Amino acid sequence: MDEKIQMLLEKAKIYAGKTGQAAETAGRRATELAQSTRLNLQIFDLNTECEVLYKEIGKLMYDVHQGIEADEDGIQDRLAKLDGLQLKIAGLRDQIGMLKSSVRCPNCGRLCSRADVFCAGCGGSLSAAEASEFSKGFGESEKEKA
């Protein structure tokens, strides 16, 4: 009877550990999703600013078409602002791309490229990191049963 209880306790420890790992993975993914969402919202706001500038430039150009003297400095200022906003948007898109093209090391949690085989921080293997992200938790117990 003692052996059965001990075996049950061992299995409970294993499942508790796997559940903790699954929760940790879910937490990391939620953090990454939140970062990506925050970056996308910043892009949305910058695009809104661009749309306002496009309208203002369009109005100034129409004034020129109508023969109204245009404020060339105003046009150039708006164009320069647009260039700056487009650079910011490109930078934010690059950050989103980095989030999507990276994987966390299962040993130390460092963000690594999906192309890396080993973690630059701890040297741990990353080849199983992606697969284990999906199979951590209760999924492995089904493999053990087979």
Side-chain angles (χ1 to χ4, degrees), residues 27-47:
R28 281 196 306 263
R29 287 182 182 264
T31 299
E32 290 169 5
L33 180 62
Q35 289 173 336
S36 180
T37 300
R38 180 183 49 82
L39 294 171
N40 277 314
L41 286 172
Q42 289 177 357
I43 290 172
F44 179 82
D45 290 342
L46 292 173
N47 277 327

Side-chain angles (χ1 to χ4, degrees), residues 69-108:
E69 189 174 319
D71 176 19
E72 280 209 33
D73 289 335
I75 293 172
Q76 291 302 319
D77 288 344
R78 285 170 177 85
L79 290 172
K81 284 180 187 177
L82 269 174
D83 289 340
L85 291 172
Q86 291 299 324
L87 283 174
K88 286 181 184 179
I89 290 170
L92 292 170
R93 287 192 174 135
D94 287 344
Q95 288 180 28
I96 290 171
M98 294 275 293
L99 283 173
K100 289 181 179 179
S101 67
S102 62
V103 64
R104 290 219 180 261
C105 173
N107 297 322
C108 68

Side-chain angles (χ1 to χ4, degrees), residues 56-72:
E56 291 173 1
I57 292 169
K59 170 86 171 86
L60 290 170
M61 295 308 295
Y62 186 73
D63 287 347
V64 168
H65 172 73
Q66 292 292 318
I68 300 170
E69 189 174 319
D71 176 19
E72 280 209 33

Side-chain angles (χ1 to χ4, degrees), residues 9-27:
L9 289 174
E10 293 285 327
K11 284 187 178 184
K13 283 183 187 177
I14 292 170
Y15 286 122
K18 290 180 181 181
T19 302
Q21 290 173 345
E24 185 179 319
T25 299

